[in-house]
Amino acid sequence: MIVSKMQADRHLALVLDRAVAGVRDEVIKQGVNLQDGMTRLAFYASCFTKNYREVCVKQKAEDVRFAENIFGLLDKRDVIQKMIRIYVDLLLQNLTPERLRRIESALVEGGANIVSASWTNQALAAAITTAASYSFGISVSVDRAVLRYSLVAVTLTGWYAYIQKAADAADRIKQQNAIYYQALYAEKLEMLYFLIEPVISRNPSLNRIISSDDEITAAILRIIR
């Protein structure tokens, strides 16, 4: 009885510890988000400083782009599919039917649940996009981002926390993969990249011309798992 009681107490202690840690971590995250929002609001003071007007202009442009991008969230899944499809299209661009056949076979061997109607870039890209859009990784990434920021977006500071995170993610992908950034920008999606960044960032920046079939296959498998 004593051993059982000790085990039960230990279990309750562990549950409580995890609960407290979870609350603590969430409070810290929300505090960071609010701090980011307040920092961004403070940056608008640069509009009155001659030497920092470029910062003000850039920030205003990001605010407008975010507002334009955010309307796409009315159909969240469609937005996610578009961003993934752009990424996959770039990976498969200009590949021969023979290479596409090898990549698809390697994907199936790697456990990917995809079937394309023909060995064309468009067919394989569509199959990969569907698999990735409904994958566990993408679902968790999007749901976490939307939930985390929606908790603070009810205030002006919270709204700017959203924009700051989006702008930071857009800047990162611009530095790491300029071609993908430009493709997103053309579709007014670059400020929503933060939603899928945890998944896409698993991949190194690939050179579309010299990347091997194995490298492309590995990159695809990372985003559909």
Side-chain angles (χ1 to χ4, degrees):
M1 290 176 63
I2 293 175
V3 170
S4 297
K5 179 66 167 58
M6 291 176 63
Q7 289 176 335
D9 289 346
R10 179 175 180 275
H11 176 70
L12 288 174
L14 289 173
V15 170
L16 179 60
D17 183 62
R18 285 195 293 268
V20 171
V23 172
R24 177 200 63 206
D25 292 343
E26 192 58 37
V27 168
I28 291 173
K29 288 176 184 176
Q30 298 306 330
V32 171
N33 288 336
L34 291 172
Q35 184 179 34
D36 289 341
M38 288 185 289
T39 300
R40 186 174 183 86
L41 281 170
F43 280 162
Y44 271 110
S46 66
C47 296
F48 304 101
T49 306
K50 184 177 181 180
N51 293 337
Y52 292 93
R53 283 180 182 169
E54 289 185 4
V55 174
C56 182
V57 171
K58 178 177 182 294
Q59 189 161 294
K60 284 182 178 179
E62 290 170 347
D63 290 354
V64 172
R65 293 289 296 186
F66 185 79
E68 292 175 344
N69 286 192
I70 206 68
F71 284 112
L73 282 177
L74 295 174
D75 186 0
K76 185 178 70 173
R77 184 64 62 185
D78 184 56
V79 168
I80 301 305
Q81 286 184 335
K82 283 182 180 178
M83 290 192 288
I84 294 173
R85 179 59 183 266
I86 292 170
Y87 183 78
V88 174
D89 280 341
L90 290 173
L91 286 178
L92 303 180
Q93 192 173 50
N94 299 325
L95 295 185
T96 63
E98 290 75 22
R99 293 190 67 184
L100 293 173
R101 187 182 300 112
R102 288 197 296 270
I103 289 171
E104 182 173 357
S105 297
L107 288 172
V108 173
E109 290 177 4
N113 185 22
I114 62 168
V115 178
S116 61
S118 61
W119 285 308
T120 65
N121 299 68
Q122 296 299 313
L124 185 55
I128 293 170
T129 300
T130 299
S133 297
Y134 291 92
S135 68
F136 178 77
I138 289 290
S139 297
V140 169
S141 174
V142 173
D143 291 342
R144 279 181 177 174
V146 172
L147 175 62
R148 181 178 302 165
Y149 298 119
S150 64
L151 292 175
V152 297
V154 293
T155 65
L156 181 61
T157 303
W159 174 257
Y160 273 101
Y162 252 120
I163 300 177
Q164 189 59 50
K165 295 294 184 183
D168 290 343
D171 284 341
R172 282 191 292 270
I173 195 60
K174 185 177 182 179
Q175 296 298 321
Q176 298 163 6
N177 193 334
I179 295 176
Y180 182 44
Y181 171 83
Q182 290 298 333
L184 291 175
Y185 190 90
E187 295 292 331
K188 293 186 177 181
L189 293 172
E190 83 288 351
M191 292 292 282
L192 297 180
Y193 169 71
F194 75 100
L195 293 171
I196 63 171
E197 183 183 27
V199 174
I200 299 298
S201 63
R202 296 172 184 171
N203 287 333
S205 181
L206 299 180
N207 186 308
R208 294 180 300 160
I209 299 176
I210 63 176
S211 294
S212 68
D213 294 347
D214 288 342
E215 289 173 325
I216 294 173
T217 299
I220 294 170
L221 286 173
R222 291 188 196 103
I223 66 172
I224 64 178
R225 287 176 173 169

